[in-house]
Amino acid sequence: TGGTMLGQLADRLETLDGHTIAFLDCGKRGGAPILTGIEEQLAANHVFKAIHYKKTSAHSCASRKLIDQIVSTCDALVYGVIN
């Protein structure tokens, strides 16, 4: 709560197979290896195309340009928030 919805959530995919999955690193140190581990676990049971993105700063929101790029090229998003 307190945030503004820019759109609606997409329908859930029935499977990851055959889809393009975005992996977005929040920009904090240590995030990339965790996302790589998640990708490897998913790839053990699914065949998909992975595209990796990284925010320019861990202390700011993803840019509108980056969000638009992910939305236009990917079917799902795994967002790594590391604390």
Side-chain angles (χ1 to χ4, degrees):
T1 62
T4 302
M5 288 292 290
L6 298 176
Q8 294 182 8
L9 294 176
D11 291 335
R12 199 174 276 233
L13 298 175
E14 290 185 27
T15 180
L16 298 179
D17 294 318
H19 290 284
T20 301
I21 311 302
F23 291 83
L24 177 57
D25 184 338
C26 72
K28 288 188 176 183
R29 186 171 52 194
I34 292 171
L35 284 174
T36 298
I38 293 170
E39 178 186 352
E40 289 171 353
Q41 288 183 12
L42 293 173
N45 296 305
H46 303 279
V47 177
F48 58 88
K49 177 181 178 184
I51 302 178
H52 292 262
Y53 298 94
K54 185 174 182 176
K55 289 181 8 182
T56 56
S57 169
H59 306 290
S60 63
C61 296
S63 69
R64 181 83 247 168
K65 181 179 178 180
L66 177 58
I67 293 168
D68 288 344
Q69 183 178 9
I70 292 170
V71 168
S72 68
T73 59
C74 299
D75 302 302
L77 169 69
V78 176
Y79 181 44
V81 179
I82 312 304
N83 283 323

